[in-house]
Amino acid sequence: MANIEGRNPVIEAIKSEREIDKIMISNSAKEGSIKKIIGMAKEKNIVIQYVDKNKLDEISTSHAHQGVIAQVSEYKYYELDELIESAKEKSEHPFFIILDEITDPHNLGTIIRTADAVGAHGVIIPKRRSVHITPTVAKASAGAVEYVPVCKVTNIVNTIKKLKEEGLWIAAADMDGQPFYEQNLTGPIGLVIGSEGFGISRLVKQNCDFTVKMPMVGNVTSLNASVAGGILLYEIFRQRTGKK
């Protein structure tokens, strides 16, 4: 079993028909969205257990449970072929986010939240040297993890090669690239975002088709991975939708 913590993540888990064993609610939390959670849970015949807040504090890993924790089945990761097929079924150009060893759960959660907002078809992470889906990630995604398929792969380079065989162009977010607004980011595309401290590995970068950067004039020469990812993902969204 796994836990989903926080009000919005629990609400989205209920809405998405996630298999929920039970929802634990603090005895002292009875206002606002807690009432909505109780009503939704009763409608779907989900067991509600009222517990002392200290109990939730003990089992919380995000330390931001907001008075509610849902016990659910383990997160189901998707296969790469499932992500590709899903995009084809929607008759849309595939749009994937490839994360090269992101280790901060807040960054992963925020990127998943942005991926949902821009209509990406999935997020790809490596099985090793990367944070996976945890209660903290789910909380940071504000429930978006219930809607964005996440795929774990053994080898990022091989995954990139397979996506290129499927017709995708792979862009690397790197300071050696061209300004992102000068690149054509339409069509089937995958965006690679590197780790917080080391960026994209040399071998991964070598297998990308081109690189994009965000020009900066301040004293700090890099942005947080999720912030940089958000800027680039919205530029891809803008170009894909033709919005100005």
Side-chain angles (χ1 to χ4, degrees):
M1 298 296 291
N3 291 336
I4 293 178
E5 306 179 16
R7 300 184 184 190
N8 282 339
V10 169
I11 288 172
E12 296 303 333
I14 298 172
K15 287 165 58 178
S16 70
E17 303 294 339
R18 181 80 174 269
E19 184 179 338
I20 299 176
D21 182 55
K22 67 179 177 182
I23 297 176
M24 293 177 285
I25 296 175
S26 169
N27 289 320
S28 59
K30 299 178 181 177
E31 77 294 341
S33 52
I34 289 292
K35 290 184 178 179
K36 180 177 180 179
I37 290 171
I38 293 171
M40 293 172 69
K42 288 181 176 178
E43 281 183 14
K44 295 185 179 292
N45 296 315
I46 298 170
V47 174
I48 301 173
Q49 180 181 356
Y50 296 95
V51 299
D52 189 85
K53 178 180 178 295
N54 291 333
K55 172 70 173 177
L56 297 182
D57 291 341
E58 288 175 8
I59 63 177
S60 173
T61 57
S62 72
H63 306 298
H65 55 73
Q66 299 176 305
V68 58
I69 295 178
Q71 288 191 337
V72 300
S73 56
E74 292 288 343
Y75 180 83
K76 176 193 173 294
Y77 291 96
Y78 290 75
E79 297 295 330
L80 183 61
D81 288 340
E82 291 181 288
L83 268 60
I84 295 169
E85 190 58 34
S86 175
K88 290 179 179 178
E89 288 175 356
K90 295 177 181 178
S91 299
E92 297 174 350
H93 289 309
F95 177 13
F96 299 127
I97 301 149
I98 305 158
L99 304 181
D100 187 18
E101 300 184 11
I102 294 288
T103 57
D104 186 318
H106 296 95
N107 277 338
L108 177 56
T110 302
I111 289 169
I112 291 172
R113 184 174 184 175
T114 307
D116 179 59
V118 300
H121 296 108
V123 173
I124 299 168
I125 62 175
K127 290 181 178 178
R128 298 178 59 197
R129 296 188 293 274
S130 171
V131 66
H132 296 155
I133 302 301
T134 66
T136 301
V137 171
K139 180 74 170 60
S141 80
V145 73
E146 302 298 329
Y147 304 104
V148 178
V150 178
C151 170
K152 279 197 301 187
V153 298
T154 303
N155 187 290
I156 290 291
V157 171
N158 289 342
T159 299
I160 287 173
K161 290 178 179 178
K162 179 174 176 58
L163 292 176
K164 290 166 77 169
E165 290 172 358
E166 291 287 337
L168 276 78
W169 289 87
I170 307 299
D174 187 84
M175 287 309 294
D176 292 334
Q178 294 291 320
F180 67 89
Y181 44 77
E182 294 179 358
Q183 288 280 13
N184 182 350
L185 302 175
T186 59
I189 192 165
L191 175 67
V192 182
I193 300 172
S195 67
E196 296 87 351
F198 303 99
I200 299 173
S201 65
R202 179 184 57 81
L203 196 55
V204 169
K205 190 191 303 185
Q206 286 178 351
N207 280 274
C208 294
D209 293 302
F210 59 94
T211 58
V212 291
K213 71 175 182 180
M214 289 161 294
M216 289 182 280
V217 297
N219 296 306
V220 178
T221 58
S222 65
L223 290 174
N224 173 280
S226 59
V227 173
I231 293 170
L232 294 172
L233 291 174
Y234 263 96
E235 175 63 13
I236 294 172
F237 173 73
R238 184 190 69 82
Q239 292 192 23
R240 285 166 67 88
T241 58
K243 298 184 182 300
K244 304 239 183 230

